[in-house]
Amino acid sequence: MPSDDAAGPELVPVPVRVVLPADPLLGTDPQEVVARLWKRQQTETGWVYLVGLPSFRDREDGGVEAAEYRVWVRAPEHVRPVEGVDYDQVVTERLQPSPQSAVREVLGERRPSGWVLQKVSVGRGPAQGVLHARDCEEAPKDAPLLDWKRDLDVAENPATRLCTLCGCAQELTPLLRGFDHITDSATDDS
């Protein structure tokens, strides 16, 4: 069958091994048969392959003839390559990346959520610390992630400083002092 641009690329089958499921009622184990691979398609949940399994069909004159049963199967669970076969010629449809939202384009990738505490020792006084976003380059890499209640408790402690490098101070201060202080400080400067 010739290929034309409106119909898409020409399908050229190549051999592939298909793993048939076991049948507990018949007491059979999984089996592999050589089938024809017609097409590969990437989906959001993985790859599926259109394979043609050898079959039979009834003819109008009462006879039986060889046929092919085409079905989509999951890869790699249900297909295996045949040694020496070049699969580059198989029509392959890759999943197109979803367009980024306008918000994601403007703001960039979302940072991982959560905060970590960097403990700072200053001699014999009370323990002090610096609260960082977990992806802050100043944050200790082995520090445990704090849950949100512990975040606020630590942030309220006068011995804790909120990191300005990663934006911890800008994000947590409204939660600690309320949002009104933002507008109050803006009017005080005028």
Side-chain angles (χ1 to χ4, degrees):
M1 146 166 73
S3 169
D4 67 74
D5 291 337
E10 181 178 346
L11 298 179
V12 178
V14 296
V16 68
R17 294 189 183 284
V18 176
V19 180
L20 301 177
D23 188 339
L25 296 175
L26 297 175
T28 60
D29 293 327
Q31 300 175 28
E32 285 188 11
V33 296
V34 176
R36 298 194 305 173
L37 174 59
W38 287 95
K39 189 176 187 180
R40 300 182 286 195
Q41 188 174 54
Q42 186 180 26
T43 68
E44 290 185 14
T45 58
W47 285 91
V48 290
Y49 285 23
L50 179 61
V51 296
L53 297 165
S55 182
F56 295 99
R57 71 171 162 227
D58 294 329
R59 293 191 326 215
E60 287 185 24
D61 66 2
V64 176
E65 66 183 1
E68 180 178 77
Y69 173 71
R70 290 189 188 177
V71 63
W72 289 96
V73 296
R74 292 218 152 277
E77 298 96 325
H78 303 290
V79 291
R80 307 280 183 269
V82 172
E83 192 174 321
V85 174
D86 177 18
Y87 291 98
D88 290 339
Q89 63 187 348
V90 176
V91 173
T92 303
E93 293 178 0
R94 297 193 181 279
L95 188 62
Q96 296 300 317
S98 61
Q100 286 191 327
S101 71
V103 172
R104 176 79 38 96
E105 279 183 40
V106 171
L107 297 179
E109 286 299 314
R110 186 173 170 201
R111 76 172 333 147
S113 61
W115 308 97
V116 296
L117 180 63
Q118 175 186 14
K119 294 181 181 175
V120 180
S121 63
V122 289
R124 301 185 75 143
Q128 294 185 358
V130 180
L131 198 58
H132 298 277
R134 76 181 200 191
D135 64 341
C136 179
E137 57 188 54
E138 298 290 322
K141 301 304 175 210
D142 58 344
L145 194 61
L146 303 175
D147 67 42
W148 68 272
K149 286 182 183 179
R150 180 79 176 120
D151 287 341
L152 294 176
D153 288 343
V154 168
E156 286 180 320
N157 184 333
T160 302
R161 190 171 53 83
L162 304 179
C163 179
T164 55
L165 178 67
C166 64
C168 179
Q170 293 86 342
E171 291 181 38
L172 289 182
T173 300
L175 295 173
L176 297 172
R177 298 189 187 137
F179 291 93
D180 291 338
H181 86 280
I182 295 171
T183 54
D184 292 345
S185 64
T187 56
D188 292 344
D189 294 339
S190 48

